[in-house]
Amino acid sequence: MRSLQKHLRGVGLLLRLCSTMATFLVLTLLTLSSVSSPVQAEIFTSIGQMTDLIFAERELVQSLKEYIEAEELKLEAVKSWANKLDMLTHASTSDPEGFLAHPVNAYKLMKRLNTEWSDLESLVLQDPSDGFISNMSVHRQYFPDEEDEKGAAKALLRLQDTYKLDSESFSKGKLPGVRYNAELTVDDCFDMGKLAYNENDHYHSVLWMQQALRQMDSGEDAKTAKADILDYLSYSVYQMGDLPRAIELTRRLVAIDPSHQRAGANLRYFERLLSKELRDRGRSQQEPADERPIQLDTYERPKDYLPEREVYEALCRGEGVKMTPKRRSRLFCRYQDGNRNPRLLLKPMKEEDEWDSPHIVRFLDALSDEEIEKIKELAKPNLARATVRDPNTGVLTVAHYRVSKSAWLEGEDDPVIARVNQRIEDVTGLSVNTAELLQVANYGVGGQYEPHYDFSRRPFDSNLKVDGNRLATYLNYMSDVEAGGATVFPDFGAAIWPRKGTAVFWYNLFRSGEGDYRTRHAACPVLVGSKWVSNKWIHERGQEFRRPCGLTEGDRS
């Protein structure tokens, strides 16, 4: 019982429950309305769906409390766990989206259901109570699996990299704009480091194993053994090329556990390698290991497939934005009446320049709060993992560089959608008859879309041969984001921040029909908050007289 209590203290399940609760919501809807609907995987990719999981967890807590009433004496430890969850869910259900806006809360939600509820179930099965076990059995099929927890943990690593967050600040929940406190335990940090280790990501393994060791050395209780932390940490440090520190950490491990299977052999191997290194350099004496704590900049982060990674991430942090006084002097605001469009004469749209070249504008009061809630309501049941088109096969597929959930809405779905489509046509002056459906996207924990082009590059996909390429992008921001979530353009150094109810618009093609490669852009990872957007991709066909072709390849006028 005591070991269970100790294990249940690890609150890191937050993200795993995300997957559980959304699928449990589906089950509830099926029961009430007998309408079949596919269960969505990877719920952590959408905060909107994760909020439903908060209420599902509340349901599980209530079931647990009823069971405790029947066998209170035997299950005192379980009752303590339930009371703790009871307080947590009271706070989370009062503001689910705000609570889950903290990525650590989301991660621990996942981890709690995948690991700790399972241990609790095993205890209860020793002397089963029909009510509680049947409730758990119903929900078990919707519980998250190992892939869900891995996805959530990788999202935290992505946030750490993009926003240069040291592991200690992350572990203590010190994030900008957070409304709820959430911390990672020694065991949570160890699990993060172990996940990175198993992915051969020794850079992150070092950061999180070091944090686990730091918290353990400060006196924090944990079920993880210090020898296990040192084992992973020493080898990952060796993989990062730091032999002196690897030797020092391995010596600590041998001192704690002289019979450790690998430690002695590793220590001898590391010492031989270091001796050879010293001989090759013509030196006879080993330099002492660096005693400074391992930080983000202690080791160089490995390069990856994205050439503009550093520029992209810097813009996400608000660094490197190339907004000069001269450029700012060319930006203006105006009232947009759509060339005296009757629907805009009495109430023209407020328009602001965000960038001069390429020209990007922001429309203010583009959506009302009521319209936003209606769009979210229509989209939420249909949210599915967002896809991208494989440039080689033309097939839509999920991709690790696009982490969000999206749904497509037609004008016939609701008058609000038809009204929004008409408004887009009025303010842009472009026909939406050949435009794609309104795409609604919700970004979850660490949700992002790495640098990409909205237009298709030649040779065109077959689906573009009728309506042409994506001429322009109209992007509605349907929520404020506490931290992160900017739309950035690495080529010319622009960062556009979400503002609820506004929309941004730009052309993807020159007047010649050639793609404007400067418009390569990205949706930065959401650090704190829930990001809702909706966008309309406007195609070339139907614009022949609204935006006539130019005479030269780069004609922008």
Side-chain angles (χ1 to χ4, degrees), residues 65 299 504:
K65 291 179 71 175
Y299 304 119
V504 292

Side-chain angles (χ1 to χ4, degrees), residues 53-69:
L53 308 181
I54 288 287
F55 294 101
E57 184 178 33
R58 177 67 177 170
E59 187 78 18
L60 289 173
V61 175
Q62 184 58 37
S63 174
L64 178 59
K65 291 179 71 175
E66 291 172 0
Y67 171 68
I68 290 173
E69 289 176 7

Side-chain angles (χ1 to χ4, degrees), residues 1 32 87 91 108 160 166 187 197 229 275 352 364 368 377-378 387 392 403 414 452 470 507:
M1 183 72 73
L32 294 175
M87 290 185 291
K108 296 178 82 171
Q160 181 178 31
D166 64 85
D187 300 322
Y197 181 94
I229 298 175
S275 297
E352 297 177 347
L364 278 59
S368 67
E377 176 190 328
L378 294 169
T387 57
N392 298 317
V403 183
D414 192 273
H452 62 282
R470 288 172 174 169
Y507 283 102

Side-chain angles (χ1 to χ4, degrees), residues 127-200:
D127 186 8
S129 168
D130 291 342
F132 177 71
I133 294 303
S134 62
N135 203 349
M136 286 290 294
S137 298
V138 167
H139 298 325
R140 170 58 57 192
Q141 59 184 314
Y142 299 108
F143 274 25
D145 58 19
E146 195 66 26
E147 287 305 309
D148 293 309
E149 185 174 344
K150 284 174 63 176
K154 287 180 180 179
L156 295 190
L157 299 181
R158 183 162 57 247
L159 292 173
Q160 181 178 31
D161 289 341
T162 303
Y163 297 104
K164 289 190 174 180
L165 301 168
D166 64 85
S167 301
E168 184 169 16
S169 296
F170 220 136
S171 176
K172 300 307 177 186
K174 297 176 182 177
L175 303 180
V178 297
R179 285 176 282 170
Y180 296 89
N181 188 37
E183 298 184 358
L184 293 170
T185 64
V186 169
D187 300 322
D188 295 331
C189 295
F190 176 78
D191 288 341
M192 292 280 290
K194 188 176 178 181
L195 176 137
Y197 181 94
N198 290 337
E199 297 281 322
N200 290 319

Side-chain angles (χ1 to χ4, degrees), residues 403-415:
V403 183
S404 65
K405 289 206 166 182
S406 62
W408 300 83
L409 301 180
E410 300 186 52
E412 292 78 11
D413 291 338
D414 192 273

Side-chain angles (χ1 to χ4, degrees), residues 416-451:
V416 166
I417 306 303
R419 186 163 68 243
V420 170
N421 288 341
Q422 184 62 60
R423 186 178 302 145
I424 293 172
E425 178 166 314
D426 292 343
V427 298
T428 64
L430 300 174
S431 172
V432 296
N433 290 336
T434 57
E436 296 175 43
L437 302 181
L438 187 71
Q439 181 182 219
V440 182
N442 181 221
Y443 293 81
V445 184
Q448 63 164 1
Y449 192 177
E450 288 182 352

Side-chain angles (χ1 to χ4, degrees), residues 213 230 233-234 237 244-253:
L213 184 62
L230 288 168
L233 179 58
S234 59
V237 165
R245 197 189 296 260
I247 290 171
E248 187 269 332
L249 289 168
T250 309
R251 284 172 178 165
R252 285 184 63 182
L253 172 55

Side-chain angles (χ1 to χ4, degrees), residues 305 385 388-389 391 399-403 448-452:
Y305 57 89
R385 178 70 186 265
V388 297
R389 191 171 297 279
H400 62 88
Y401 56 83
R402 186 180 191 186
V403 183
Q448 63 164 1
Y449 192 177
E450 288 182 352
H452 62 282

